[in-house]
Each structure stands twice: as structure tokens, then as C-alpha cells.
Amino acid sequence: MSEQPTEAPPKEPAPTDSGSDSGRDLSLRWLMGGSILVVILVAGLIFSIVIAVRGGDEPLVPAGDQGNGPTAAVEQDQFAPDPFFDEKGRVVYTPLNTNGVILRQSSPATGRAATTAPSGVMLQQVHENMHLPFSTSDGPTGFSDSGVATGFSRTAQGAGLAGVHYFSYLITGNTRVKMMQDAGVVSDPNNTLPELIKSNAPGQPGAAPDKFPSRVFQMIKVDYNEDLARVHFGATVQLDSGRTENRDLWLDLVWRDGTGWVAVIPPKGRADMQALPDFSGGWTSWW
């Protein structure tokens, strides 16, 4: 985010689509975006290599209630002079601090549903090519020494924001995986993270390139408990056969006092993806 993008955001790598789940390499790479999603099997997350394609600019379901909190105020001396549109027409700001800019926080509306968007959501381009959401109601409120955002609220909205951030770090190469480890916001109870790191080494088939760009999915859903949350990411993918399919991918987070939300690496062999008929039943768009 120390870059000052007065031009278009980084160009995405050429998409690849296999249309099958068999014979996948062990790797964790998802290019997150409204127009492209690359999904590769890694450490037991069984996904196809797919391209997420959506026509038009409208969300698949209406955006959730934005709540009663304030909108994000842009402090001109903390950002590059001009914001820019991402590939799906969403406004992105570039902080002068590569980690991002913490927005002034205020109490959210009471009685919010899990589908209600955090207040004052702003997409910021951090660490040169990661587009991540910051809010005025549910965090983040700080950064780790390694530059990872922390201090997300103990709410469905805070868990959702944390999930988007931490998912992005885990899928964009080993430098960012290490940033997560150094920040203490990743749990690996089944010791599968070393396999992910090994699979990302240069020359490995399907390796996530270091500092790979990331974008936010348009759809989100949060299954929330104050101690455990599952953050779902939704995308419509088009296979090489020409058939489209709605996909639900998810990441679990646990709450730890003194740390906050922590991403849980699943055991090898557990599938964290399913096909959906549509994005109803709790799905929404926060940005």
C-alpha cells in the first residue's frame, strides 16, 4: 500500500481451468476477485482449478443492511491522492502505510443480524497488491509487528472481516504465510501448514507465487458463535465445459482471549468447498 496507484491495479495471471478435482497438486492458491478465482487443492482443501466469472456489476443477492454506523472518512494525508476502481468497479484506496490505515471506530448498531454489513467499509490496497476491507465498526484496530491487521471485533462482522484478511494471507505465497505465523493469528493443530509451505517452494507444480495478488469475493456468509466462526466465501465459477457453478469455500476461526480471531488450518483430506444451487439463505455482499 505504499505504492500510489493512479493507474489500474496489477494485472492478474492468465487463468487456468481443469474442470476436474482429480490429481490435484498440494498447494494453496486462490486468486480472489469478482471476475477471477483460481482454486487449487492444498493441505486437504479439495477444490477444482476454476475461473470465477460473473457478468454485470450487480451482486448475486442484494447487499446486506449497512447498519447505523458512520461511513469511513478519508484522511487525505494518510492515503495516495487518488483512489481507483478495481476489476468489478469497487472503489479502492491506497494507504501511504503499506500495512493499511486503521479507521476511527464507533459502536455498531445493536441487534445486528449476521448478514448486516460492518459500518464504514473501505477497501484498501495493502502490501502492494492485496485488496482488503477495513471498517469503522468492527475493526481492524491495529497491526502486528509483521504487518497483519488485528483487533477485529468479537462479532459476526468482525469474524467475517478477519476471515477475509487471513484467508488472503494464506493463499498468496510463503512470505505472507510467515507474516501470519509471526502475528500469531494462525492455528495448525494437525501440522499441515509445513506441507503448504513446502508446496509453495519455487518450481513446485501449482505453487502460489510469492506475494501473489488477492481480491475479495463478492459474496460472504458467517456462521457465528462467540468462540468459533466459519466464514464462507462465495463465487460463481465457469468450468472449461462452459457450465457455471456456484461455489462455497470456507475458513474456520477461533476466538482466543488476548489475541482475537485466529485462522484454523484444516486437516489434510477435509473438503472445505461445496457447490450451491444459489446464494440465498444468509449470503450477502458487504462491498
Side-chain angles (χ1 to χ4, degrees):
M1 266 192 266
S2 53
E3 292 185 344
Q4 310 202 2
T6 54
E7 55 192 22
K11 205 172 183 182
E12 309 297 356
T16 308
D17 191 343
S18 68
S20 170
D21 287 333
S22 61
R24 299 292 173 229
D25 298 310
L26 289 176
S27 157
L28 176 56
R29 185 177 67 177
W30 295 298
L31 173 60
M32 300 197 304
S35 58
I36 298 175
L37 164 66
V38 177
V39 183
I40 296 180
L41 166 64
V42 176
L45 306 182
I46 305 175
F47 305 130
S48 305
I49 302 176
V50 294
I51 307 171
V53 177
R54 260 200 69 213
D57 294 326
E58 294 302 315
L60 296 173
V61 298
D65 174 17
Q66 299 298 307
N68 298 322
T71 57
V74 178
E75 302 291 342
Q76 296 299 332
D77 61 344
Q78 294 181 297
F79 293 89
D82 300 316
F84 61 89
F85 289 110
D86 72 1
E87 297 84 349
K88 297 305 294 182
R90 298 171 294 197
V91 177
V92 182
Y93 290 84
T94 304
L96 300 181
N97 182 336
T98 188
N99 297 336
V101 170
I102 299 302
L103 305 179
R104 187 175 303 147
Q105 300 292 298
S106 63
S107 298
T110 58
R112 292 181 300 176
T115 54
T116 301
S119 297
V121 173
M122 172 194 284
L123 293 179
Q124 298 184 19
Q125 179 166 277
V126 306
H127 304 302
E128 300 183 5
N129 59 12
M130 301 174 75
H131 294 183
L132 296 177
F134 291 66
S135 84
T136 61
S137 60
D138 295 273
T141 59
F143 298 104
S144 70
D145 290 342
S146 62
V148 176
T150 58
F152 297 95
S153 66
R154 195 173 187 176
T155 62
Q157 289 73 16
L161 292 168
V164 173
H165 276 248
Y166 299 160
F167 188 77
S168 296
Y169 280 92
L170 290 171
I171 65 175
T172 54
N174 285 343
T175 293
R176 290 175 181 157
V177 171
K178 187 175 187 305
M179 291 170 69
M180 284 276 289
Q181 291 177 301
D182 292 345
V185 292
V186 60
S187 174
D188 185 23
N190 299 284
N191 198 35
T192 51
L193 200 55
E195 188 171 359
L196 164 61
I197 294 171
K198 182 179 179 180
S199 72
N200 280 340
Q204 291 296 314
D210 208 29
K211 299 183 180 179
F212 198 59
S214 70
R215 303 291 184 265
V216 292
F217 284 108
Q218 287 181 300
M219 308 308 299
I220 190 169
K221 183 175 76 168
V222 181
D223 299 328
Y224 175 73
N225 177 283
E226 64 177 9
D227 297 317
L228 175 67
R230 175 165 289 177
V231 181
H232 298 259
F233 310 97
T236 300
V237 303
Q238 182 174 323
L239 305 178
D240 56 0
S241 64
R243 182 174 62 89
T244 61
E245 185 174 83
N246 299 317
R247 294 278 175 96
D248 169 14
L249 305 86
W250 58 85
L251 176 69
D252 290 348
L253 299 96
V254 294
W255 180 267
R256 291 184 178 166
D257 290 339
T259 301
W261 293 111
V262 173
V264 180
I265 304 299
K268 181 178 179 180
R270 191 181 80 186
D272 284 10
M273 184 279 292
Q274 64 181 352
L276 298 174
D278 54 47
F279 289 108
S280 59
W283 286 94
T284 188
S285 177
W286 287 356
W287 23 77

